Amino acid sequence: MDALYSADVLVQRLRFAGILVLALLSLGFVTTPLRESAWHQVKQGQPEMNLEAIEGSLGHGLVIGVLGGFRTVMADFLWIQANHIWEQHDRVGLDAMIRLVTTLDPRPEFFWLNSARMVAYDVPSWRIREEGGFNVVSEARQMAIDLEQAEQAFAILRQALGYHPENPMIYLDFAQIYLNRLKDVERAAEWYLKASKFPDAPYYAARIHAQLLKRLGRYEEAYDFLVALHPTLPDDEPYAHKGVIFERIRELEVTLKIPLWERFEP
């Protein structure tokens, strides 16, 4: 009986391995002409890979039908390949692989967030180096590249919100790209505020929102926000930095010249 059971398990494993190999081979046949075609387009002067063209050329249903129940396994495997492509600074291949991975398995936030970060932070540097380097490319051109790549990253994050509408980390990535890549303090403040409203949002989202309001010169708005925030923070949570919030309230009271009898008391 045990021998029969072992033989049956072995057959099942061999069958699984065979199906997985077929899936890999099929995926290779599908993606190879796609990447060659995309690279040919870039060489002809197209500045960016059209992500919609990938889906049209590859066929959303084709990948799903070929892989079936192995989508999660294949998404993990392809993400490893995406990192190898990233190391090669192959932005066309990276765009194609991001599309494949997030199509196969849109559930992990990790895929979405890291894809957007690669596109927003790494690809601009690659493009600037391709055009001669930071000392050669004008500041205006660098800013244009940053904007183009940020828009692509935002497109990825908007797709992510379709699957994870209540995940504060996605909202925070919007905020950080606006702040760190585009230097758009006002839009960054808006997205930090959106992120801070979720129950599981990191405490720093609200603090950064208030600091950005101060940077924008909106002191009264920052003060009102912090006064409302302070009572909601736990006393025994070090990451809440409740004492820091209180200090910033006092600083704003000095800036706004609020009389002592009208100042906030916890």
Side-chain angles (χ1 to χ4, degrees):
M1 191 69 170
D2 291 340
L4 290 174
Y5 175 77
S6 299
D8 185 57
V9 170
L10 179 60
V11 169
Q12 291 180 4
R13 289 180 177 176
L14 289 174
R15 184 181 301 167
F16 174 85
I19 294 173
L20 186 57
V21 169
L22 287 174
L24 287 170
L25 290 174
S26 300
L27 187 63
F29 284 123
V30 170
T31 57
T32 298
L34 170 65
R35 290 183 58 191
E36 290 178 353
S37 175
W39 181 239
H40 179 66
Q41 291 178 359
V42 171
K43 284 186 175 181
Q44 289 181 329
Q46 179 174 320
E48 281 306 304
M49 180 69 174
N50 187 338
L51 295 181
E52 295 299 328
I54 296 175
E55 187 172 28
S57 300
L58 182 61
H60 177 87
L62 178 60
V63 175
I64 302 305
V66 169
L67 298 178
F70 301 112
R71 292 168 59 186
T72 300
V73 175
M74 285 305 303
D76 291 339
F77 171 78
L78 289 173
W79 184 253
I80 295 174
Q81 298 303 307
N83 278 271
H84 175 70
I85 292 171
W86 171 78
E87 291 174 351
Q88 302 302 315
H89 295 184
D90 178 1
R91 58 191 176 94
V92 175
L94 181 64
D95 285 345
M97 199 59 71
I98 286 172
R99 170 72 69 178
L100 282 173
V101 171
T102 54
T103 297
L104 286 172
D105 192 1
R107 294 168 298 176
E109 67 177 53
F110 177 87
F111 291 157
W112 296 106
L113 295 176
N114 284 279
S115 294
R117 291 165 187 171
M118 290 178 184
V119 169
Y121 297 103
D122 298 323
V123 175
S125 297
W126 304 348
R127 292 182 61 187
I128 291 169
R129 291 191 182 98
E130 289 172 3
E131 295 186 17
F134 288 89
N135 295 327
V136 173
V137 178
S138 68
E139 185 175 343
R141 176 59 181 158
Q142 292 183 35
M143 291 176 62
I145 291 173
D146 283 341
L147 180 58
E148 289 176 16
Q149 294 304 139
E151 290 298 334
Q152 287 195 19
F154 291 150
I156 294 171
L157 293 173
R158 281 192 290 269
Q159 284 185 289
L161 287 177
Y163 296 95
H164 308 282
E166 298 183 359
N167 188 324
M169 300 309 297
I170 297 173
Y171 293 82
L172 285 173
D173 264 47
F174 271 103
Q176 288 162 1
I177 292 173
Y178 273 117
L179 183 62
N180 299 324
R181 298 304 297 175
L182 302 183
K183 313 304 179 185
D184 189 337
V185 177
E186 187 164 357
R187 296 299 299 276
E190 293 173 4
W191 281 95
Y192 277 115
L193 177 61
K194 292 178 182 180
S196 71
K197 292 181 178 180
F198 291 97
D200 56 341
Y203 291 110
Y204 66 78
R207 291 199 303 273
I208 295 178
H209 170 69
Q211 289 297 97
L212 294 181
L213 291 178
K214 289 172 60 179
R215 189 186 300 186
L216 291 167
R218 292 154 59 178
Y219 300 112
E220 291 184 7
E221 190 175 343
Y223 178 74
D224 292 339
F225 179 81
L226 291 178
V227 166
L229 174 66
H230 187 273
T232 69
L233 298 174
D235 295 319
D236 56 350
E237 173 55 68
Y239 291 106
H241 292 291
K242 194 169 184 176
V244 172
I245 297 298
F246 184 69
E247 291 174 4
R248 291 178 180 175
I249 290 173
R250 285 288 183 256
E251 291 171 0
L252 283 167
E253 287 172 336
V254 173
T255 300
L256 294 170
K257 298 180 180 180
I258 296 176
L260 292 175
W261 58 88
E262 292 183 6
R263 293 185 177 184
F264 171 74
E265 291 299 333

